[in-house]
Amino acid sequence: MQMRGHRPRTYAAFGSLLLALLALVVVLGATTSKSAAAPSDAAAADAALIACGTAQTIGFAAPITGPVAAAGAQMVKWGRFAMTRWNATHPDSQIRLVMGDTQLPDSAQAVRVAESFASNDEMLVVVGPAGSQEVQVSTAPLRRGGLANISGTASATTLTSRGTRRGYFFRTVPNDDQQSLKVVTTMRGRLRATRIVIIDAQTSYSEGLANEVGRLLRTRGIRAQRESVNESTVSDFSSLITRIPSNTQVVYIPWQIASKAQQFGEQLRASGRRATLFGSDGLYVPDDFKIPGSYVSAFPVAQGHRIVRAYARGPGNGRTDLFGLPSYVAVEVAARAVERACTDGEATRAEVRTFVNRTNIPAAASPLGFPVRFQQRAVPPIWPGDMRTPAAYIVYRISPNGRFVPVG
């Protein structure tokens, strides 16, 4: 009786163990299948044929709303201007832009836009996103979808130097190693500054610039004071300003939200401090940042180019809005690549990536003032996906009437 009573319990235990093992096998099998799906999904996206109809679809990721909307508006106007000009001269290779509002600095929204673009089975390539941190978080969904993305504003050096986006990410502006050198040269050569405070905005874009400017200053025997603030959330900068010595000559603010830089500048002046503000390309937004006497480094452009003049006569309403100009070039790069990929009536995203990488726009046709070609191998400070021509950033000084006047 004791044995009969014991055996059923043994069978029950064995049965439970067997069920558990079977469940584990199912889970492991599902996990293995799921992990293996990522590369196969990417390969499928690369190979999927997309019919080239009367107008090819290009994604355009920009901060259309939110704190950086003033810069986003320039990008959108220039992007649509590029589309209009392209379509007017290419009746058999029309393009249409599908807008995605990334709401910089909301990186979560940038991910949603990237996922939406990747799942759009008509989209062949993407222009944008705008911010370096947006490019970082968009990389995974765009790569899974096989989409190349060409940014007209994302300048963080690590976006190209680390190699994780090679063959997928391209930009029509020089990187921040090149921008940092221009900033330090101006600080030391034109401003003769030795007492410098650097304030990063706690983003990858801002910290990258702050780190490199600080490093270059140290090579010149100057140790800048380093501070940090979240530009997205702070409006009262008084506690930060109290940490800035009264004899400071230059305060470097590589920020992206120009309206916050304006608030900071006004409060700095109200405190009695006369230090010169020096902003990065993210502050090249005259509507939002206009502290007289401040300096701003910005992308290289050919200010008198016929395309710039045509924009001013058209959508610019007398303005050039040069912050958005590299986005015009990014659209043209995308349109050229799509046209070449669609010669037989259909294209793959992989083909478009190949033709983006082979872009060659002569200097005379480029409103940037230099040929548009992408670097193919690492030659620091230029990396694959960067502009091959090492063009110099322009430095502007803000006049008493708010005009950005080139000084170097």
Side-chain angles (χ1 to χ4, degrees):
M1 292 292 296
Q2 188 175 5
M3 291 294 292
R4 289 178 182 174
H6 180 69
R7 286 175 65 86
R9 289 196 296 271
T10 302
Y11 290 149
F14 179 76
S16 297
L17 178 60
L18 182 60
L19 288 173
L21 288 171
L22 288 171
L24 181 60
V25 169
V26 171
V27 169
L28 288 174
T31 303
T32 302
S33 299
K34 185 175 181 180
S35 63
S40 62
D41 288 349
D46 268 0
L49 287 171
I50 298 175
C52 299
T54 56
Q56 277 51 262
T57 302
I58 296 173
F60 193 97
I64 298 170
T65 64
V68 194
Q74 291 191 32
M75 297 167 65
V76 169
K77 285 201 292 185
W78 270 105
R80 287 179 172 154
F81 183 55
M83 179 185 68
T84 300
R85 286 176 62 87
W86 177 270
N87 289 344
T89 55
H90 295 79
D92 298 326
S93 183
Q94 303 278 285
I95 61 171
R96 70 184 186 97
L97 301 183
V98 174
M99 296 293 165
D101 184 6
T102 59
Q103 300 175 3
L104 181 71
D106 183 2
S107 57
Q109 181 62 19
V111 174
R112 286 190 282 271
V113 169
E115 290 173 342
S116 171
F117 284 175
S119 64
N120 184 332
D121 58 10
E122 295 182 345
M123 190 167 291
L124 284 163
V125 63
V126 171
V127 171
S132 297
Q133 65 269 47
E134 292 181 320
V135 172
Q136 286 180 323
V137 299
S138 299
T139 296
L142 292 177
R143 284 199 65 149
R144 282 196 300 270
L147 284 167
N149 64 301
I150 311 142
S151 179
T153 49
S155 54
T157 303
T158 53
L159 296 178
T160 49
S161 66
R162 290 181 180 172
T164 54
R165 300 168 187 83
R166 190 159 298 174
Y168 287 82
F169 173 72
F170 306 86
R171 56 176 156 216
T172 55
V173 291
N175 66 41
D176 282 340
D177 278 2
Q178 296 163 276
Q179 181 171 192
S180 300
L181 182 59
K182 187 70 172 185
V183 168
V184 171
T185 300
T186 305
M187 284 182 180
R188 293 293 297 123
R190 182 180 182 87
L191 301 178
R192 307 292 184 188
T194 56
R195 299 184 299 278
I196 300 167
V197 174
I198 298 172
I199 307 173
D200 71 68
Q202 300 177 7
T203 65
S204 57
Y205 159 82
S206 183
E207 290 172 352
L209 275 169
N211 291 342
E212 183 62 10
V213 167
R215 186 191 71 80
L216 290 173
L217 286 171
R218 286 193 299 275
T219 65
R220 290 157 173 77
I222 298 170
R223 290 196 169 273
Q225 178 178 321
R226 181 68 174 266
E227 299 290 344
S228 182
V229 68
N230 188 329
E231 64 174 334
S232 299
T233 59
V234 176
S235 294
D236 181 358
F237 296 96
S238 56
S239 61
L240 170 64
I241 290 171
T242 59
R243 299 196 297 272
I244 298 174
S246 58
N247 67 345
T248 299
Q249 295 167 297
V250 173
V251 176
Y252 180 54
I253 47 173
W255 298 4
Q256 289 171 308
I257 305 178
S259 59
K260 288 299 182 77
Q262 179 70 19
Q263 290 179 12
F264 170 74
E266 291 170 351
Q267 293 175 30
L268 184 73
R269 291 288 177 266
S271 74
R273 288 166 174 78
R274 310 318 306 169
T276 297
L277 286 174
F278 204 134
S280 58
D281 58 270
L283 303 189
Y284 187 40
V285 187
D287 286 344
D288 285 356
F289 184 63
K290 54 190 77 171
I291 302 294
S294 299
Y295 287 75
V296 173
S297 57
F299 315 127
V301 295
Q303 298 191 31
H305 196 277
R306 56 184 173 76
I307 293 174
V308 176
R309 297 197 305 270
Y311 175 88
R313 291 193 303 268
N317 293 318
R319 296 166 49 120
T320 53
D321 294 332
L322 294 175
F323 181 85
L325 174 56
S327 295
Y328 172 101
V329 178
V331 171
E332 183 174 351
V333 169
R336 285 172 175 244
V338 167
E339 181 183 44
R340 294 179 69 183
C342 283
T343 52
D344 58 355
E346 55 188 9
T348 67
R349 290 173 173 178
E351 288 175 329
V352 174
R353 292 201 311 271
T354 297
F355 288 123
V356 168
N357 198 38
R358 295 178 185 173
T359 296
N360 187 1
I361 302 176
S366 167
L368 299 179
F370 55 86
V372 179
R373 294 179 298 167
F374 296 110
Q375 183 68 12
Q376 302 299 311
R377 59 189 181 88
V379 185
I382 304 173
W383 308 85
D386 282 332
M387 288 280 91
R388 188 180 300 182
T389 302
Y393 274 72
I394 299 173
V395 174
Y396 296 86
R397 187 175 188 272
I398 303 177
S399 68
N401 63 1
R403 289 184 61 245
F404 278 55
V405 180
V407 294

